[in-house]
Amino acid sequence: MNDEVINQQYCKLGISPTVYAFGKKIEEKLEKRFKTIDSVAEYNQMKVIHAMQERKVSAECLNQFTSGYGYNDLGRDTLEEVYAECFCGEAALVRPQITCGTHALALALMSNLRPGDELLSPVGKPYDTLEEVIGIRPSKGSLAEYGITYRQVDLINDRDFDFDGIRQAVNERTKLVTIQRSKGYAARPSFSVDQIGELISFIKSIKPDVICMVDNCYGEFVEEKEPLEVGADLMVGSLIKNLGGGLAPIGGYLVGKKECIENAAFRLTSPGLGKEVGASLGVIQSFYQGLFQAPTVVAGALKGAVFAANIYEKLGFSVVPDSTESRHDIIQAVTFGSPEGVIAFCQGIQAAAPVDSYVTPEPWDMPGYDAPVIMAAGAFVQGSSIELSADGPIKPPYAVYFQGGLTWYHAKLGILMSLQKLVDAGIVKEENII
Ligand SMILES: *Cc1c(COP(=O)(O)O)cnc(C)c1O
């Protein structure tokens, strides 16, 4: 199609010809990277279809609507087998009763640790909301309140595993090791699945029976391999991120060793009941279809992240990962160095949304976070961050974390709109956009 015609559509949405032309120039240089992203998506698409066929997903699975106790829910039980098959686990727990990623992780920890045990993070500080789960920041019901202690080994220079430090930290009480794949709100790079494998091999060489759990949030389907394929015992994440494919309206998952999953099921429902109860209330169809869509949705989000890195690096901002680095999650961090930059960026993402595009996001004190956070999300599912979204804690270095996009085209619009807002606010000079 004539580029002029496409440009006109962007104009209608408020993108200036200068910003559009700049984006086009950047995009042209990304052809090879986009091809690589597409081939990973293709591989993972086949992986999902294979798992669904192996587990004989049927129309009956999709039509299950159980209520009440939810006994004998074929759709729910088969979906859990599909997850186990797809991600090389012995079992899985995939439920709408798991309310979010933090809940899924808390569930994994609280069900697999007992009083007197110790939890180890060998990759530095975990994701903000887990601080209260663990009790790093005191909170009601934390692991600390139940007599479960926590130890942390920081990364060297914010990127390398401190193998000596880890060797010293592992002790007779170390029961579970938590490894966060994605950087979250930290400045360090995200880990590749192979790096995680290397870390797990090292830890298991010191203590073979320790449970290695991977916080897999934002990492799913970014690579061909997932953590269970490199020795993890448990991988955990949210269904309003990658694996829900934008369609799951709620939910979280755990996949891994049978015993770990059983522990989690007994904790989620009740001792004695475990996986047998938990009505699916008609949402299971979207879990199946979301998983089916997830590889291509993740690919679109990745293209958006790579595009953003290239745009903002060119304009002189610090970006993590940088414009050429390989990707291990869908998050892109851009450091603006000022609250105004973070706010303008997020307002641009919001203005590009299909839903709530007319609202202007402002920083607020969000539960679980220790600084005001501004969030942009015009999502079909509240808070869904596989949909185009951005958030930035209003604290130095004033970085924004950007992720998602159910389609590459929407991600592209969002990034161009963010740039437009930065130009409108005078933070980026129009004459620099060449
Ligand atoms: C999003 C995220 C979580 C928490 O998930 P919520 O759904 O926001 O509760 C935990 N860890 C990482 C790395 C995440 O990205």
Side-chain angles (χ1 to χ4, degrees):
M1 195 189 293
N2 184 336
D3 193 53
E4 198 48 44
V5 181
I6 300 178
N7 193 349
Q8 278 167 18
Q9 286 298 338
Y10 280 94
C11 266
K12 278 192 208 163
L13 288 154
I15 304 294
S16 74
T18 319
V19 167
Y20 177 76
F22 181 65
K24 185 173 157 60
K25 221 171 68 182
I26 297 283
E27 186 183 345
E28 277 165 2
K29 284 190 272 184
L30 296 175
E31 201 177 316
K32 243 175 108 179
R33 298 225 38 211
F34 282 14
K35 252 201 158 127
T36 310
I37 292 170
D38 285 333
S39 60
V40 174
E42 185 174 359
Y43 178 91
N44 284 321
Q45 182 74 82
M46 297 310 125
K47 194 196 269 186
V48 170
I49 294 173
H50 183 254
M52 289 186 174
Q53 292 184 353
E54 285 291 301
R55 293 297 154 180
K56 298 203 161 40
V57 174
S58 64
E60 196 187 349
C61 293
L62 306 183
N63 293 335
Q64 287 267 308
F65 182 107
T66 56
S67 59
Y69 294 113
Y71 291 134
N72 304 316
D73 188 321
L74 177 74
R76 177 197 67 205
D77 296 347
T78 305
L79 179 72
E80 288 175 343
E81 290 179 13
V82 168
Y83 263 68
E85 176 83 36
C86 188
F87 299 111
C88 306
E90 294 171 2
L93 193 63
V94 187
R95 303 275 167 138
Q97 286 80 12
I98 301 175
T99 56
C100 61
T102 304
H103 186 189
L105 289 156
L107 177 62
L109 294 172
M110 292 178 166
S111 61
N112 283 290
L113 289 159
R114 295 288 178 274
D117 287 342
E118 188 160 274
L119 167 67
L120 171 68
S121 170
V123 295
K125 190 177 95 56
Y127 193 76
D128 289 37
T129 58
L130 286 185
E131 291 188 9
E132 285 174 292
V133 171
I134 296 167
I136 300 171
R137 274 186 286 141
S139 171
K140 285 198 201 317
S142 69
L143 292 172
E145 274 197 352
Y146 286 89
I148 295 158
T149 56
Y150 170 70
R151 209 178 273 249
Q152 173 178 318
V153 179
D154 288 330
L155 297 168
I156 298 172
N157 298 325
D158 263 344
R159 72 182 306 131
D160 299 318
F161 303 131
D162 177 0
F163 289 109
D164 289 337
I166 295 167
R167 193 194 304 280
Q168 283 165 23
V170 174
N171 61 60
E172 68 289 349
R173 292 201 298 113
T174 311
K175 174 74 177 296
L176 194 152
V177 173
T178 179
I179 301 166
Q180 186 180 311
R181 178 170 172 184
S182 164
K183 64 182 163 298
Y185 284 148
R188 61 142 170 119
S190 297
F191 300 123
S192 69
V193 174
D194 282 336
Q195 279 175 299
I196 290 171
E198 190 193 342
L199 179 58
I200 291 172
S201 299
F202 177 75
I203 290 164
K204 297 247 174 185
S205 76
I206 305 167
K207 189 166 187 181
D209 60 347
V210 77
I211 299 167
C212 289
M213 178 187 92
V214 175
D215 173 352
N216 209 28
C217 282
Y218 289 131
E220 301 95 346
F221 290 149
V222 171
E223 301 181 38
E224 295 91 339
K225 263 187 290 189
E226 298 293 340
L228 299 180
E229 294 167 70
V230 294
D233 301 296
L234 195 53
M235 62 180 236
V236 181
S238 163
L239 294 191
I240 60 168
K241 293 181 178 172
N242 301 20
L243 290 188
L247 293 176
I250 191 169
Y253 77 87
L254 292 78
V255 193
K257 289 265 156 66
K258 191 159 179 277
E259 195 188 339
C260 297
I261 298 300
E262 262 171 11
N263 282 335
F266 287 128
R267 170 83 197 203
L268 175 65
T269 63
S270 160
L273 301 181
K275 289 174 95 172
E276 303 302 318
V277 296
S280 60
L281 297 170
V283 304
I284 288 292
Q285 191 272 347
S286 70
F287 285 13
Y288 280 103
Q289 200 174 347
L291 178 66
F292 176 79
Q293 303 271 42
T296 47
V297 169
V298 169
L302 273 173
K303 288 176 186 176
V306 170
F307 184 63
N310 279 270
I311 292 250
Y312 284 106
E313 190 177 81
K314 189 91 201 289
L315 295 170
F317 296 101
S318 144
V319 294
V320 179
D322 72 23
S323 61
T324 58
E325 257 173 274
S326 66
R327 299 274 153 170
H328 307 300
D329 64 20
I330 62 167
I331 302 183
Q332 181 62 48
V334 184
T335 300
F336 288 105
S338 72
E340 294 76 23
V342 170
I343 292 167
F345 181 95
C346 290
Q347 291 181 343
I349 296 297
Q350 187 76 41
V355 180
D356 289 340
S357 62
Y358 53 86
V359 304
T360 307
E362 302 285 350
W364 64 296
D365 287 311
M366 209 186 143
Y369 295 85
D370 65 357
V373 181
I374 181 165
M375 298 211 148
F380 296 103
V381 172
Q382 188 200 82
S384 165
S385 49
I386 186 60
E387 297 188 51
L388 186 65
S389 50
D391 38 50
I394 303 297
K395 61 181 180 186
Y398 301 104
V400 76
Y401 298 82
F402 155 89
Q403 66 273 313
L406 296 183
T407 70
W408 147 238
Y409 305 115
H410 180 221
K412 177 179 171 180
L413 171 67
I415 295 147
L416 293 179
M417 192 67 88
S418 72
L419 176 55
Q420 188 69 55
K421 294 285 178 194
L422 285 154
V423 170
D424 295 347
I427 298 162
V428 170
K429 300 272 169 285
E430 188 145 31
E431 60 267 27
N432 292 338
I433 310 179
I434 39 163

